[in-house]
Amino acid sequence: MHRLRVFEGTMGAGARVVLYSDGISTQILGGDVRTAPFATACSSLMDRYRKSHDDATVLVADVAEA
């Protein structure tokens, strides 16, 4: 297993988090992913940025109010 990269930060309610594996290009751009429904955002990212020679995973999550 490669070394994990850990990031910390704060996000307010309504923020969107997008996590993706190395099977997605690092040239990923936000665009309509910020406001699209979860399934649409994931499909859009897979369609546009997935590497054809690798497996890929995308997770889209919104931060809810505390």
Side-chain angles (χ1 to χ4, degrees):
M1 182 171 172
H2 295 282
R3 185 171 171 232
L4 296 176
R5 295 172 53 187
V6 178
F7 299 90
E8 291 184 32
T10 58
M11 292 180 282
R16 176 160 277 187
V17 179
V18 178
L19 303 174
Y20 53 92
S21 68
D22 64 348
I24 301 292
S25 170
T26 56
Q27 300 300 315
I28 193 170
L29 302 172
D32 60 338
V33 173
R34 292 185 178 127
T35 56
F38 298 115
T40 303
C42 287
S43 293
S44 176
L45 291 171
M46 285 291 222
D47 291 345
R48 288 190 280 172
Y49 301 105
R50 182 172 187 202
K51 298 176 184 176
S52 61
H53 62 278
D54 203 349
D55 60 340
T57 301
V58 173
L59 173 106
V60 176
D62 289 336
V63 177
E65 293 183 36

